[in-house]
Amino acid sequence: SCLSIDRLTDFAWRNGYQAVGLIDQNVMYGVMEFQKACEKRSLKPLYGLEINVTINERRYPYVLLARNLEGFRELMKVSSQINAEHVEFDRERLESLSDNLFIIDVCYGGYLEKNIRNARETVKWYKQHNIFIGLKPAKGIYDYQLNSEISNIAFESGLTPIAMPLGLYENEDDFQAYRVFQQLNNEESISESN
């Protein structure tokens, strides 16, 4: 992301938010800075971690959000397991996480999106293990149709999907910097055409 913690919390404060979340991939490096920035602006901090979970030999992103202090401690433990112990998360390990965490299929290349043909089966599994379904902002007809299909299946099963907007940059002027950052992160050549 090209969005610094100060810019994120300033944006939330300027727009009258009561809480703001920080979700990073596999690490929790920014939590102290985030805590201080939220305290300074009287915002409730929400702590999260995006992890990859291997299911049927493919990796899918899931977001873990702390419900409480015990959930925060569990996030720290998961991050340590991934980074220090090189633990791979699979379906069984995901299911073993406690009720102190919200577990969300993030929808951006998530398991449900990539396995939409088995959506009813997946939603039953999610309901059984208290896993939430995230919906991405619709940017075209495919997204609208996918969100509609997922929402209908979720509601039929008694689950309520949640919106999962992605905050990677503050305004459109930052998009170019974000694109270059992603290309460097993915070890791709930087080009104007992408």
Side-chain angles (χ1 to χ4, degrees):
S1 168
C2 290
L3 194 55
S4 71
I5 288 173
D6 278 335
R7 286 178 68 187
L8 174 67
T9 52
D10 278 342
F11 177 87
W13 181 77
R14 282 192 323 266
N15 287 282
Y17 292 17
Q18 295 178 352
V20 63
L22 178 68
I23 300 168
D24 212 341
Q25 291 182 321
N26 299 328
V27 297
M28 303 278 297
Y29 299 141
V31 296
M32 294 304 292
E33 180 185 351
F34 181 62
Q35 174 72 34
K36 289 176 186 173
C38 286
E39 286 174 0
K40 179 179 160 184
R41 294 161 183 90
S42 300
L43 296 166
K44 179 180 179 178
L46 304 173
Y47 302 102
L49 188 64
E50 182 181 316
I51 65 170
N52 286 312
V53 177
T54 303
I55 303 172
N56 300 326
E57 299 181 19
R58 290 195 59 195
R59 293 169 58 137
Y60 300 95
Y62 284 83
V63 164
L64 311 176
L65 289 176
R67 290 180 185 242
N68 50 38
L69 182 58
E70 287 304 312
F72 176 79
R73 289 182 180 135
E74 193 165 358
L75 285 178
M76 296 297 282
K77 181 180 174 184
V78 168
S79 179
S80 293
Q81 287 174 329
I82 290 170
N83 292 292
E85 301 168 28
H86 307 289
V87 170
E88 282 256 347
F89 270 73
D90 58 14
R91 186 172 166 161
E92 184 176 294
R93 194 175 294 271
L94 183 70
E95 291 171 354
S96 74
L97 295 173
S98 78
D99 288 336
N100 294 311
L101 295 174
F102 292 105
I103 303 170
I104 307 166
D105 179 333
V106 298
C107 69
Y108 296 92
Y111 183 75
L112 186 58
E113 179 183 355
K114 296 295 183 185
N115 295 279
I116 194 68
R117 290 185 180 141
N118 299 322
R120 282 183 170 69
E121 235 176 82
T122 301
V123 168
K124 284 180 189 173
W125 171 53
Y126 284 0
K127 187 171 182 177
Q128 184 180 13
H129 296 284
N130 204 24
I131 298 173
F132 292 81
I133 299 168
L135 298 177
K136 62 184 169 183
K139 293 184 179 175
I141 191 72
Y142 170 78
D143 292 340
Y144 283 110
Q145 289 173 339
L146 181 67
N147 284 349
S148 178
E149 186 173 353
I150 290 172
S151 295
N152 289 336
I153 293 167
F155 286 127
E156 286 171 14
S157 300
L159 295 176
T160 303
I162 57 175
M164 291 292 294
L166 215 52
L168 300 170
Y169 47 89
E170 186 175 4
N171 56 53
E172 289 184 35
D173 295 340
D174 297 331
F175 177 70
Q176 184 64 28
Y178 167 73
R179 226 176 65 196
V180 169
F181 175 72
Q182 285 301 105
Q183 288 172 320
L184 290 171
N185 193 43
N186 294 328
E187 298 179 3
E188 298 171 357
S189 63
I190 299 170
S191 67
E192 293 287 324
S193 61
N194 285 342

